[in-house]
Amino acid sequence: MLGKLSGWGDTIVALATPPGIGAIGVIRVSGPEAFTIVGRLFTGKDLSAETSHTLHVGLLVENGEQLDEVVVSLFRAPRSYTGENVIEISCHGSPVVLERVIQAVVRGGARLARAGEFTQRAFLNGKLDLAQAEAVADLIASGSAAGARAALHTIRGGFSRALRELRERLISFSALIELELDFSQEDVEFADRTQLYQLISEATVMTAELLQSFRLGNVIRNGVSVAIVGKPNAGKSTLLNTLLNEERAIVSEIAGTTRDTIEETLNIGGILFRLIDTAGIRQHTTDTIEQIGVGRSLEKMEAADIVLYLFDAREGVDGMRGELMSRGKVFVLVGNKVDVFEGAVDDPEAVMISARSGFGVDSLKKRLVELVLQGETMLGDGAMVTNARHYQALVKVAEALEAVARGLDDLIPGDLLALDIRVALHYLGEITGEITTEERLGYIFSKFCIGK
Amino acid sequence: MLGKLSGWGDTIVALATPPGIGAIGVIRVSGPEAFTIVGRLFTGKDLSAETSHTLHVGLLVENGEQLDEVVVSLFRAPRSYTGENVIEISCHGSPVVLERVIQAVVRGGARLARAGEFTQRAFLNGKLDLAQAEAVADLIASGSAAGARAALHTIRGGFSRALRELRERLISFSALIELELDFSQEDVEFADRTQLYQLISEATVMTAELLQSFRLGNVIRNGVSVAIVGKPNAGKSTLLNTLLNEERAIVSEIAGTTRDTIEETLNIGGILFRLIDTAGIRQHTTDTIEQIGVGRSLEKMEAADIVLYLFDAREGVDGMRGELMSRGKVFVLVGNKVDVFEGAVDDPEAVMISARSGFGVDSLKKRLVELVLQGETMLGDGAMVTNARHYQALVKVAEALEAVARGLDDLIPGDLLALDIRVALHYLGEITGEITTEERLGYIFSKFCIGK
């Protein structure tokens, strides 16, 4: 199916843990020479004599120079992540130590791994299909529990199983139809058209469900953008801080790593929300905004999935409800400062809060989560499309299935039906990697991090 | 020896790898309940039935919720880093996944580890002495091969062995002297004064050598600060870039992690140099510097270990040589732009380079390394003091030994000699942790990273 990749037989090495200083850092070595290369550096034991899935403590020494005291994990082919011989070296977590060990392994005969090459090898060795392999990258990059859950479901084969079942049924039908072609003079039908129609209907429903899951899947993977808008002094900054401070207290216990790249994110009920801070924008452009009005601020937030309109509970929503509805936005009206004013207007369609005291903020969070789920449940075992590449391929599958269904209605000959079925099969195969090109694979895996 | 630490019997958990996204992240669990707690989450196998030093692939599930597919490493007490039951969980390297697993382990009965607590437990369980434990932190933080080498030497017990030998000999002498005190009426000498004198002489030499090694040890651990000074347009920025560009090409292959915290560092021959970029300072304050002259710029660099004075090869050094010598600085004179001008002055005491073409830069690097080593070799197996705490204790040891030697000269009574020997023993014991307080231990280990 695939041409041999360049360097496919090489033994590769990379840092598998994040760069930086930590208690430990893990270096992964995979390939036919993994045991030989690491074994030459490892003192105290002959690693080649040890069984798979065992741990060994020892000193790495290169030309008499001590590199580190390490623990090595042995995984013998095919019982490893890549399906090859794999050794993971757990070193002291100093970048200098890790670099020295990696360079010693390279001098010993390995080469530095390309991004995603370990997972690519796992795919090529049949340990994972392409959809599963891509979910590994998604799991690593997941920014929320829901994202991690969806990716793990795919890694464990949930999505692939659904596609494989569909694909196998289409293949068996396709084979029967192609058999008819060999007997085309005799006008026989091996493939029962009623059964085929039934299958295509089922496949169409399943594909449609998967396509529909992409909206939620995409949201789960990439987060929901929420624009907080409102007049000056409505309390946007206070609300933002109230939302974020609670969140930070939880996140900062471990890492807080995403804060560098994403401005303000909130994890509510396992769903990632990205807050667009119009409060921040306002501070620098107060005059302009005041002149042009909130409409302008809304335009800027056109790209947001959800608009959160904050108003002063004394003043009410004004014309904003109509404005938001006419723009077709998904929105939440939030009346603020209920604690301050006796004469607060209780708007039944709004969430009434006090950003300062935190009153009502939980209800607001609940409303946000409801808007995302809209009756869909994330906790089910259903397969979910989270990957744009899979979505595009499924759109093609749906088109091909529609063509087959039309063809059946029009009683077109078997050879033409077979063509459309083959198109559907092609795009199904592209998702799981049964059908793909080496360049395409290279592109997909190049988006992985090094060491995976 | 030590009072029980609070929470000493707890099972603890922490992320052992650096925070951030990576192919994998490792969570370390240590304590009596490690196997029970992780075993409840781990599906597919009964971990409590498995032997030490084995690896197991499985799914972590908490209350029906799948957390991650992981590999667990089992280390049974006392054959582990801490000496307790230890499980390391190798997860997919997503901060979200890692946080979920850590929280599941905490809900299962573990608590988050304090900084350095794993190593502190290793110390309390006799797996490492205090000097070795501190060297673990040094190894992790090491910024150069030489620093890593010195720390690894200490971890492997080189430094501790030297101290222990000295301590044991002093103890046996001390015991003999104290025995004399029991027979003080009879005027006997169990402890041979000549032998004691010999021992004290040897101990004094050894302590002096260790103290002397601190200058180099400190340099190896913390790096050598180098101020690059010179007139405007001497080529400081070009030289800096030439030095750094070569370096970056090597470092960036793996991590380049130190760049965030340390402005400009250069690793030459395994020694870390920290470059103080006066070129950068100059850009903002050209006028002032021009007025006050290079002398002012030098004052700013007073704290540097080495001053690198760059001059235009056409112009020569001027009065700077005298200026630098009068200030007692260690310096290198560097004549730049030898490629540009026919009439370059060849100064035999200067390194002549072309920062632009790279000519002579290797000689300059060699000169810098020579200045640091000054005849000392870093590759030897000698113990080296790299830790300020150890240095301070050794100064006290030296003082006590000097008092003993003086006492022997003055023929003072045994009980007074014994007192001074006990002072020496006390400070020796402080280094390796035989004598220390719980508060002091807590302070030392609090400087470790979490997870170690």
Side-chain angles (χ1 to χ4, degrees):
Chain A
M1 171 182 74
L2 285 165
K4 283 211 172 179
L5 289 171
S6 59
W8 163 241
D10 293 350
T11 296
I12 53 175
V13 59
L15 182 66
T17 46
I21 292 175
I24 62 172
V26 178
I27 292 163
R28 187 177 266 173
V29 187
S30 178
E33 299 300 316
F35 278 66
T36 318
I37 293 170
V38 179
R40 274 197 297 264
L41 300 171
F42 191 87
T43 57
K45 245 181 207 175
D46 178 10
L47 293 185
S48 65
E50 301 295 335
T51 54
S52 188
H53 289 64
T54 54
L55 293 156
H56 305 275
V57 182
L59 185 67
L60 293 188
V61 180
E62 188 194 29
N63 302 326
E65 169 84 4
Q66 300 184 350
L67 301 176
D68 196 12
E69 276 193 337
V70 301
V71 180
V72 295
S73 303
L74 308 185
F75 302 88
R76 288 193 181 274
R79 294 178 57 207
S80 72
Y81 179 68
T82 59
E84 307 175 326
N85 280 335
V86 169
I87 294 189
E88 289 181 358
I89 309 172
S90 180
C91 302
H92 286 91
S94 143
V96 170
V97 169
L98 293 165
E99 175 169 346
R100 292 181 83 203
V101 172
I102 288 174
Q103 296 196 345
V105 172
V106 168
R107 278 189 293 268
R111 69 164 166 80
L112 294 174
R114 290 184 292 259
E117 193 171 0
F118 292 96
T119 306
Q120 189 164 5
R121 289 180 176 213
F123 166 70
L124 293 172
N125 289 325
K127 305 288 284 190
L128 297 167
D129 69 28
L130 195 54
Q132 290 173 303
E134 286 172 299
V136 170
D138 284 348
L139 179 55
I140 288 171
S142 61
S144 68
R149 195 183 291 123
L152 187 59
H153 185 270
T154 303
I155 289 175
R156 295 188 52 78
F159 180 49
S160 303
R161 253 195 309 278
L163 295 186
R164 201 179 314 121
E165 197 187 300
L166 177 57
R167 193 156 181 267
E168 278 163 13
R169 288 176 70 187
L170 284 175
I171 284 173
S172 62
F173 254 97
S174 169
L176 287 175
I177 287 176
E178 300 203 12
L179 197 59
E180 288 177 12
L181 303 182
D182 296 337
F183 297 85
S184 54
Q185 310 302 347
E186 304 171 34
D187 198 25
V188 293
E189 281 192 1
F190 292 102
D192 182 333
R193 291 295 183 273
T194 318
Q195 273 187 35
L196 180 57
Y197 202 89
Q198 175 73 15
L199 169 63
I200 297 299
S201 298
E202 285 171 25
T204 302
V205 169
M206 182 186 150
T207 310
E209 279 174 4
L210 284 173
L211 284 173
Q212 214 180 353
S213 77
F214 182 64
R215 195 191 70 86
L216 181 59
N218 198 38
V219 149
I220 283 174
R221 188 181 184 225
N222 298 325
V224 187
S225 54
V226 179
I228 304 182
V229 296
K231 291 184 187 169
N233 234 358
K236 297 187 290 294
S237 298
T238 310
L239 175 58
L240 200 67
N241 286 332
T242 304
L243 288 169
L244 291 175
N245 283 338
E246 294 182 17
E247 167 66 9
R248 275 182 199 150
I250 297 166
V251 170
S252 63
E253 276 180 37
I254 293 186
T257 47
T258 47
R259 298 257 321 135
D260 291 344
T261 44
I262 301 153
E263 258 309 74
E264 305 287 359
T265 65
L266 242 185
N267 193 321
I268 310 176
I271 299 173
L272 196 71
F273 290 86
R274 295 170 193 272
L275 301 183
I276 301 167
D277 181 3
T278 67
I281 296 170
R282 187 183 59 79
Q283 286 182 330
H284 301 288
T285 57
T286 309
D287 293 349
T288 323
I289 292 282
E290 298 274 14
Q291 283 163 16
I292 306 179
V294 180
R296 171 66 179 273
S297 164
L298 263 177
E299 274 169 36
K300 290 193 175 187
M301 301 307 132
E302 202 59 60
D305 295 321
I306 297 177
V307 174
L308 198 156
Y309 181 69
L310 197 68
F311 62 92
D312 192 314
R314 270 179 311 183
E315 299 174 4
V317 189
D318 305 331
M320 275 307 295
R321 192 193 320 263
E323 176 77 26
L324 286 161
M325 290 179 78
S326 74
R327 285 167 183 270
K329 297 303 295 179
V330 177
F331 62 89
V332 191
L333 303 173
V334 185
N336 191 20
K337 308 189 187 176
V338 291
D339 55 334
V340 183
F341 307 109
E342 286 291 331
V345 182
D346 188 9
D347 186 327
E349 293 185 45
V351 183
M352 304 306 286
I353 68 164
S354 161
R356 208 177 50 180
S357 76
F359 170 84
V361 169
D362 282 340
S363 300
L364 174 57
K365 288 181 177 177
K366 193 158 159 263
R367 177 74 67 95
L368 284 173
V369 171
E370 282 168 0
L371 279 175
V372 174
L373 296 183
Q374 289 182 338
E376 300 179 72
T377 171
M378 293 196 311
L379 292 166
D381 262 348
M384 185 178 288
V385 181
T386 58
N387 184 304
R389 191 182 73 79
H390 301 171
Y391 179 79
Q392 281 153 14
L394 278 171
V395 167
K396 299 284 188 184
V397 172
E399 286 171 9
L401 290 174
E402 202 190 318
V404 176
R406 244 195 340 261
L408 286 169
D409 285 342
D410 298 348
L411 303 173
I412 64 166
D415 51 350
L416 294 179
L417 280 180
L419 263 180
D420 285 329
I421 293 178
R422 257 191 253 158
V423 171
L425 284 171
H426 174 86
Y427 286 109
L428 281 174
E430 261 203 355
I431 297 174
T432 49
E434 275 98 349
I435 294 162
T436 191
T437 64
E438 188 170 321
E439 299 76 53
R440 181 150 202 137
L441 278 185
Y443 174 73
I444 290 168
F445 284 101
S446 70
K447 292 182 293 180
F448 278 58
C449 61
I450 300 277
K452 194 71 211 180
Chain B
M1 169 183 74
L2 285 164
K4 283 210 174 182
L5 288 171
S6 59
W8 163 240
D10 294 350
T11 296
I12 54 175
V13 59
L15 182 66
T17 45
I21 292 176
I24 62 173
V26 178
I27 293 163
R28 187 178 265 173
V29 187
S30 179
E33 299 300 318
F35 278 66
T36 318
I37 293 169
V38 179
R40 273 197 297 265
L41 300 171
F42 190 86
T43 57
K45 246 180 205 173
D46 179 10
L47 292 185
S48 65
E50 302 294 336
T51 54
S52 188
H53 290 64
T54 54
L55 293 156
H56 305 275
V57 182
L59 185 67
L60 292 187
V61 180
E62 187 193 28
N63 301 327
E65 169 84 3
Q66 300 184 349
L67 300 176
D68 196 12
E69 276 192 338
V70 301
V71 180
V72 295
S73 303
L74 309 184
F75 303 88
R76 288 193 180 275
R79 294 178 58 207
S80 72
Y81 179 68
T82 59
E84 308 175 323
N85 281 335
V86 169
I87 294 190
E88 288 181 357
I89 310 172
S90 179
C91 302
H92 286 91
S94 144
V96 170
V97 168
L98 293 165
E99 175 169 347
R100 293 180 83 204
V101 172
I102 288 174
Q103 297 197 344
V105 172
V106 168
R107 279 189 293 268
R111 68 163 167 79
L112 293 175
R114 292 184 291 259
E117 193 171 2
F118 292 95
T119 306
Q120 190 165 4
R121 289 180 175 213
F123 165 71
L124 293 171
N125 289 325
K127 305 287 284 189
L128 296 168
D129 70 27
L130 196 53
Q132 290 174 303
E134 287 172 297
V136 170
D138 284 347
L139 178 55
I140 287 170
S142 61
S144 67
R149 196 184 289 125
L152 187 60
H153 185 270
T154 303
I155 290 175
R156 295 188 52 80
F159 180 49
S160 303
R161 254 194 310 278
L163 295 185
R164 201 179 316 122
E165 197 188 300
L166 177 57
R167 193 157 180 266
E168 277 162 13
R169 290 176 68 185
L170 284 175
I171 284 173
S172 62
F173 253 98
S174 169
L176 286 175
I177 288 177
E178 301 203 11
L179 197 59
E180 288 177 10
L181 303 183
D182 296 339
F183 297 85
S184 53
Q185 311 300 346
E186 303 171 32
D187 197 24
V188 291
E189 280 193 0
F190 293 101
D192 181 334
R193 291 296 183 275
T194 318
Q195 273 186 37
L196 180 55
Y197 202 88
Q198 175 73 16
L199 171 62
I200 298 299
S201 298
E202 285 171 23
T204 303
V205 169
M206 183 186 150
T207 310
E209 280 174 2
L210 284 172
L211 284 172
Q212 212 180 354
S213 77
F214 182 64
R215 195 193 69 87
L216 182 58
N218 199 38
V219 149
I220 283 173
R221 187 181 185 226
N222 298 325
V224 187
S225 54
V226 178
I228 303 182
V229 296
K231 292 184 187 168
N233 234 356
K236 296 187 290 295
S237 298
T238 310
L239 175 58
L240 201 68
N241 285 334
T242 303
L243 288 169
L244 292 175
N245 282 338
E246 294 181 18
E247 169 66 10
R248 274 180 201 152
I250 298 166
V251 169
S252 63
E253 276 180 37
I254 294 185
T257 48
T258 47
R259 300 259 321 139
D260 292 346
T261 44
I262 302 155
E263 258 310 72
E264 306 287 359
T265 66
L266 241 186
N267 193 318
I268 308 175
I271 300 173
L272 197 71
F273 290 87
R274 296 172 193 270
L275 301 183
I276 302 167
D277 182 4
T278 66
I281 296 170
R282 187 183 59 79
Q283 286 182 330
H284 301 288
T285 57
T286 309
D287 293 351
T288 323
I289 292 283
E290 298 274 16
Q291 283 162 16
I292 306 178
V294 180
R296 171 66 179 275
S297 164
L298 261 178
E299 273 169 38
K300 289 195 174 184
M301 301 308 133
E302 204 58 60
D305 296 320
I306 297 177
V307 174
L308 197 156
Y309 180 69
L310 197 66
F311 61 93
D312 192 313
R314 271 179 311 182
E315 301 174 4
V317 190
D318 304 334
M320 276 306 296
R321 193 193 321 262
E323 176 76 28
L324 286 161
M325 289 180 78
S326 73
R327 283 166 186 271
K329 297 300 295 179
V330 176
F331 62 90
V332 192
L333 303 174
V334 185
N336 191 17
K337 309 189 187 175
V338 289
D339 54 335
V340 181
F341 308 109
E342 287 291 329
V345 182
D346 187 12
D347 188 328
E349 292 186 45
V351 183
M352 305 306 286
I353 68 163
S354 162
R356 209 177 50 181
S357 77
F359 170 84
V361 169
D362 282 341
S363 300
L364 173 57
K365 289 181 175 175
K366 193 158 160 263
R367 178 76 67 94
L368 285 172
V369 171
E370 283 168 359
L371 279 175
V372 173
L373 296 183
Q374 290 181 339
E376 299 181 72
T377 172
M378 293 196 311
L379 291 166
D381 262 348
M384 184 179 289
V385 180
T386 58
N387 184 304
R389 190 183 74 80
H390 302 171
Y391 179 79
Q392 281 152 14
L394 277 171
V395 166
K396 299 283 188 188
V397 172
E399 285 171 8
L401 289 175
E402 201 189 319
V404 176
R406 246 195 336 265
L408 285 170
D409 285 342
D410 299 348
L411 301 172
I412 64 167
D415 50 352
L416 293 180
L417 278 181
L419 263 181
D420 285 328
I421 292 178
R422 256 191 252 156
V423 171
L425 284 171
H426 174 86
Y427 286 108
L428 280 174
E430 262 204 355
I431 297 174
T432 49
E434 274 97 348
I435 295 162
T436 191
T437 64
E438 188 169 323
E439 299 77 51
R440 181 151 201 134
L441 276 186
Y443 174 73
I444 290 169
F445 284 101
S446 70
K447 292 183 294 179
F448 278 56
C449 61
I450 301 277
K452 195 68 212 181

